[in-house]
Amino acid sequence: QQQVKQSPQSLIVQKGGISIINCAYENTAFDYFPWYQQFPGKGPALLIAIRPDVSEKKEGRFTISFNKSAKQFSLHIMDSQPGDSATYFCAALRLNSGYSTLTFGKGTMLLVSP
Amino acid sequence: DAGVTQSPTHLIKTRGQHVTLRCSPISGHKSVSWYQQVLGQGPQFIFQYYEKEERGRGNFPDRFSARQFPNYSSELNVNALLLGDSALYLCASSLNGNSYNEQFFGPGTRLTVL
């Protein structure tokens, strides 16, 4: 059972364009929604994250939009650069009794063409 | 300041064998989590350890086990390897397990089961 659904699977954007990745979740018990960036041969690295009581968070060129009622959230990368080419994962964190778990989407491979 | 380190980088085993993967967390971090990332998928939670105790376990068979040592490093053990165990195994460390504290991922160990 996939608890976090991510789309698209892959994305090609021209340099300077806007990259948009969407995610939807099913479990209302999630407490926190991070986005991770992964380069080949590396582990995922936290990019930006949002709590469910906030509708938008912006850090530099990266913005998360969060719609709690629709159980959807998205990542917008403004002025996309070739160096942004990577795989992006949305995730949902749940604080359980004594531990936390991250549930990841399947990932989006982003290619920013020069 | 060193990040999360994992060893070995790559490993090739045959079906039925046993494997041990190692992880050293960031200095000062007391929680270690293990994730399995199958090619083309997002990481999937296996275990979380905090203060040397297992605090959480994902939906993995008993062939998977782990432990955390007094210096907070950790080992992941997989017995009776199956072809389907081929994956990138990621270790993540955080200050503690039950909070919004960022999980920092290591580069992973690529396990191939033949």
Side-chain angles (χ1 to χ4, degrees):
Chain A
Q1 179 184 3
Q2 186 186 354
Q3 295 191 51
V4 178
K5 296 183 179 180
Q6 183 172 348
S7 63
Q9 188 174 358
S10 62
L11 184 60
I12 300 175
V13 173
Q14 287 206 338
K15 179 182 176 181
I18 302 173
S19 304
I20 301 174
I21 304 171
N22 300 299
C23 283
Y25 62 97
E26 300 168 1
N27 190 343
T28 57
F30 290 130
D31 302 284
Y32 194 56
F33 298 87
W35 284 88
Y36 286 84
Q37 179 188 56
Q38 186 175 29
F39 292 103
K42 303 286 187 181
L46 180 66
L47 191 62
I48 186 172
I50 196 168
R51 298 194 182 196
D53 56 347
V54 176
S55 61
E56 186 176 282
K57 183 175 182 180
K58 182 176 181 179
E59 290 183 358
R61 296 185 293 111
F62 302 92
T63 300
I64 300 178
S65 297
F66 189 86
N67 186 330
K68 188 174 182 178
S69 61
K71 293 189 285 187
Q72 295 176 346
F73 58 112
S74 61
L75 175 70
H76 290 63
I77 306 175
M78 312 299 289
D79 187 26
S80 298
Q81 299 297 312
D84 296 331
S85 298
T87 300
Y88 292 80
F89 294 95
C90 61
L93 180 130
R94 179 172 180 179
L95 296 176
N96 304 286
S97 177
Y99 69 101
S100 60
T101 53
L102 279 169
T103 301
F104 286 83
K106 290 189 175 184
T108 296
M109 288 184 61
L110 171 65
L111 177 63
V112 181
S113 58
Chain B
D1 195 17
V4 177
T5 59
Q6 294 186 244
S7 63
T9 305
H10 296 87
L11 203 52
I12 299 175
K13 293 286 189 178
T14 56
R15 283 178 297 174
Q17 285 189 312
H18 162 272
V19 68
T20 297
L21 310 180
R22 296 177 175 83
C23 171
S24 292
I26 291 171
S27 177
H29 286 191
K30 297 182 178 181
S31 179
V32 169
S33 299
W34 287 95
Y35 292 82
Q36 180 195 62
Q37 186 176 17
V38 174
L39 196 62
Q41 303 288 318
Q44 188 172 359
F45 173 73
I46 308 175
F47 287 110
Q48 186 175 84
Y49 275 76
Y50 177 61
E51 290 285 11
K52 303 178 287 295
E53 291 185 6
E54 180 184 309
R55 300 300 181 107
R57 182 184 184 118
N59 188 24
F60 280 81
D62 291 342
R63 299 184 296 107
F64 289 76
S65 64
R67 54 180 176 168
Q68 187 177 33
F69 299 99
N71 66 353
Y72 302 107
S73 66
S74 178
E75 283 182 355
L76 175 70
N77 296 283
V78 187
N79 292 323
L81 286 166
L82 303 174
L83 295 179
D85 295 330
S86 295
L88 180 68
Y89 288 85
L90 295 163
C91 171
S93 78
S94 60
L95 285 171
N96 60 54
N98 191 24
S99 71
Y100 298 111
N101 287 328
E102 180 180 349
Q103 292 191 27
F104 293 83
F105 285 83
T109 293
R110 172 72 63 188
L111 172 64
T112 301
V113 181
L114 302 176

